[in-house]
Amino acid sequence: MKKTIPALPVKNIDESVKFYSEKLGFTAPYYDDGFAKVVRDEIEIHLWASSDESWKNKGLSLVADPICSGAESFLAGTASCRIEVQGIDELYEEYKKQGVIYDIDTVVQEQPWGDREFPALDHHRNLLTFYEEI
């Protein structure tokens, strides 16, 4: 095995590409209405449209069969990934200025498993944990 690419569910690809570009410093070499590829340095993240609202019209059958397409809007913001970085403190300051840090009390923390990390959220609340090995 050589590489993994997280694929995060988002409601709106255009809004997501704008957020990842303007707030997180990624570029989008490809995107359409249903999918985007965003990159920054060596990191690649795929964003997929989780925008199907048809589940809202299922009524009582929603309990027995909640999935219609696998791209239901309620999936947006339910994913997470960990991203290894170099220069964790500088990235933390950059993202703090952009307002994407998980919580105002969030700081870079040393973890017992051997890294320093901080969490951030995208605009749909997918969790992005940035870490640097000690």
Side-chain angles (χ1 to χ4, degrees):
M1 292 185 226
K2 292 178 64 178
K3 184 177 183 179
T4 186
I5 299 172
L8 306 177
V10 298
K11 287 185 182 180
N12 183 293
I13 295 294
D14 288 332
E15 289 175 7
S16 297
V17 167
K18 183 177 178 179
F19 179 87
Y20 275 78
S21 299
E22 293 177 3
K23 298 288 188 176
L24 300 178
F26 284 74
T27 60
Y30 176 83
Y31 73 96
D32 58 33
D33 290 342
F35 174 82
K37 174 181 171 178
V38 294
V39 297
R40 178 172 174 170
D41 302 322
E42 300 299 315
I43 299 303
E44 180 175 329
I45 298 174
H46 292 176
L47 306 172
W48 58 277
S50 176
S51 55
D52 182 354
E53 298 279 332
S54 64
W55 62 273
K56 291 181 177 182
N57 300 321
K58 291 187 82 169
L60 293 176
S61 68
L62 182 62
V63 174
D65 185 23
I67 303 301
C68 300
S69 66
E72 283 73 20
S73 60
F74 60 77
L75 295 174
T78 63
S80 67
C81 66
R82 295 178 54 80
I83 301 170
E84 185 176 6
V85 303
Q86 185 175 13
I88 191 84
D89 296 307
E90 295 82 3
L91 186 65
Y92 171 81
E93 290 301 324
E94 175 187 337
Y95 285 174
K96 186 174 180 179
K97 289 176 186 169
Q98 291 294 343
V100 296
I101 301 299
Y102 183 77
D103 182 278
I104 61 169
D105 296 325
T106 296
V107 295
V108 178
Q109 291 186 317
E110 188 170 318
Q111 300 297 340
W113 47 85
D115 67 37
R116 295 177 67 235
E117 63 184 49
F118 71 90
L121 297 173
D122 75 8
H123 65 303
H124 289 302
R125 300 192 62 79
N126 288 304
L127 176 63
L128 310 170
T129 302
F130 297 91
Y131 73 94
E132 182 173 40
E133 292 184 359
I134 298 173

